[in-house]
Amino acid sequence: MLHYLEEELEQLRKKIIKMGSLVEEQVEFSFRALFEGNLELAETVKSRDDEVDKYDIKIDKHCQRIFALTQPVANDLRLIMTALMINSDLERMGDIAVNISERAENLVDYSDLLKEMRVDEIAVKVQKLIKMSIDSFVNGDAELAKNLIKADAEVDKLDSVIFDLLAYKMKDNSELIVPGMHILTLVRNIERLADHATNIAEDVIFMIDAKIIKHSKDPENLEQKNNS
Amino acid sequence: MKEFKIHTKNLNLYYGNNRALKDVTIGIDENKITSLIGPSGCGKSTFLRTLNRLNDTIDNVRIEGEVMIDDINIYDKNVDVVALRKRVGMIFQKSNPFPKSVYENVAYGPRINGVKSKKELDEIVETSCKRAAIWDEVKDRMNDSAIGLSGGQQQRVCIARALAVDPDVLLMDEPASALDPISTAKIEELMFELKTDLTIVIVTHNMQQAARVSDKCAFFLMGEIVEYNSTKNMFTKPDKEETQNYVSGRFG
């Protein structure tokens, strides 16, 4: 029984890591499609989304099987619950990569505007958060997860700056309203990627420390809240 | 108001030179189900048996420390052991009905406690069988031998027999380990109903059973309590690594 459970949990971890790598690459490809105007890469992202969806279902089924056959408790239970939650976030991130790739087609002639609106900067920050989120799960690193949650504030700040920049630009030149609207939607999507990475970090903290920190305003004072 | 129904303080038990319980201090809540878990030989059954002085009958047993029930040390010299065992009933792993009729099994306790009236005995038997969720199955077989019942039914007759003397604590030593899942579920449902009137302490090797039925859980290892915690915490975020390893099946 024990050997069986260990084996199942290891397989599950490997699946999550594989799903994480796949989604990380999908996001990277979608940004390259956007900033390099590489529409072929955008098509690759869209066609590979099926693979992400298949992995999502595979992980769900695997978790269901472990629950049904081994009745996991404590650390094991939290690992499987975390795997389910992370899986859901990764799948949504995969969908967002597709949305970004679709937006790349509309913005293929606006690479200068994207740069001027600092979209490349927010993309770099978000990719870093995604990497941190997956690394925190792989290495069971709650500190890294906490740093990620703090770093998300920078993304939110830049998101707000970009909004103002876009508003100013569109007021100034009405011809930029349509591409501006595309960029606005695009940045919303990019910011959502950061939110999903934050969710993963929260799940990792739950897995390691058994503390539920989601919906908390102040990650520094989470322990008090959870111990009450 | 007393803090705990049962409270042991620095309880030590020796079988000859072998120290089977080591400074066990634990407070057991009234009207709750407390499960004792741990690998074979860890002392959990020995501990359970100290709560109604069943170990007294074993040669070479020496007990130190206190076992307080309702703030009275049950090891005090002036404690009447028979009266104690009437208040603290016990159910064993293997059902042990007397080779008598169902009625005589359940009426046995009240009868030796002086109840003579047939009407009163009838009432006690019916009420006890109903509380033990066995009445519907045996009401037309009261004069049949209890030995002829199924294992699950025999166990519930034993519970009815324990309830007939109106205890306020029920000790259960792996009460469902020899039963099929349906009979096990009946015993567990019964425990939930009984805890409104009784304090229940159960020894179980079945982790899922401990998780399902108990409010609090004590993990024993080598005669000591490693962790005593709410069952919820015990199975979601135990404080001790040894507990984590045991409840997840990594040792024991």
Side-chain angles (χ1 to χ4, degrees), chain A residues 167-223:
Chain A
Y168 179 78
K169 200 76 184 171
M170 288 191 282
K171 260 192 243 166
D172 196 42
N173 181 356
S174 63
E175 281 186 10
L176 292 180
I177 287 178
V178 172
M181 296 294 281
H182 280 302
I183 293 176
L184 196 63
T185 313
L186 171 73
V187 173
R188 278 284 147 301
N189 278 327
I190 297 174
E191 196 273 331
R192 284 298 297 149
L193 282 175
D195 289 344
H196 286 295
T198 307
N199 289 350
I200 291 175
E202 290 167 351
D203 297 340
V204 168
I205 291 167
F206 167 70
M207 177 177 82
I208 297 164
D209 295 340
K211 289 178 182 141
I212 297 172
I213 62 160
K214 59 185 175 182
H215 312 310
S216 175
K217 297 271 184 277
D218 179 6
E220 283 303 306
N221 289 319
L222 302 169
E223 302 194 5

Side-chain angles (χ1 to χ4, degrees), chain A residues 149-161:
Chain A
I149 293 169
K150 285 180 210 154
D152 181 47
E154 287 175 40
V155 172
D156 291 342
K157 211 161 137 189
L158 188 52
D159 175 41
S160 167
V161 169

Side-chain angles (χ1 to χ4, degrees), chain A residues 2 6 73-76 78, chain B residues 208 235-236 244 247-248 250:
Chain A
L2 172 59
E6 298 275 13
V73 296
N75 287 8
D76 302 334
R78 294 202 304 278
Chain B
Q208 276 71 48
F235 287 91
T236 56
Q244 155 74 30
V247 296
S248 63
R250 281 179 175 75

Side-chain angles (χ1 to χ4, degrees), chain A residues 50-96:
Chain A
D50 275 353
E51 209 180 316
V52 175
D53 291 348
K54 275 182 194 155
Y55 245 92
D56 170 44
I57 290 170
K58 212 185 265 188
I59 289 169
D60 275 0
K61 283 186 174 170
H62 196 167
C63 292
Q64 187 184 23
R65 189 173 75 225
I66 303 176
F67 275 130
L69 301 184
T70 70
Q71 293 93 42
V73 296
N75 287 8
D76 302 334
L77 174 67
R78 294 202 304 278
L79 169 62
I80 301 162
M81 287 175 69
T82 303
L84 270 175
M85 295 188 285
I86 290 180
N87 186 38
S88 167
D89 278 307
L90 288 173
E91 194 277 329
R92 286 293 301 130
M93 288 160 95
D95 288 346
I96 291 172

Side-chain angles (χ1 to χ4, degrees), chain B residues 74-116:
Chain B
I74 62 168
Y75 284 90
D76 273 352
K77 278 182 187 140
N78 55 359
V79 166
D80 176 352
V81 179
V82 175
L84 169 74
R85 292 185 189 142
K86 182 169 166 271
R87 281 180 57 210
V88 184
M90 183 128 182
I91 303 298
F92 297 88
Q93 179 180 6
K94 190 175 177 332
S95 53
N96 54 355
F98 303 134
K100 293 170 178 283
S101 69
V102 174
Y103 184 95
E104 285 304 323
N105 263 277
V106 182
Y108 185 84
R111 212 193 284 279
I112 61 167
N113 276 297
V115 179
K116 291 198 174 67

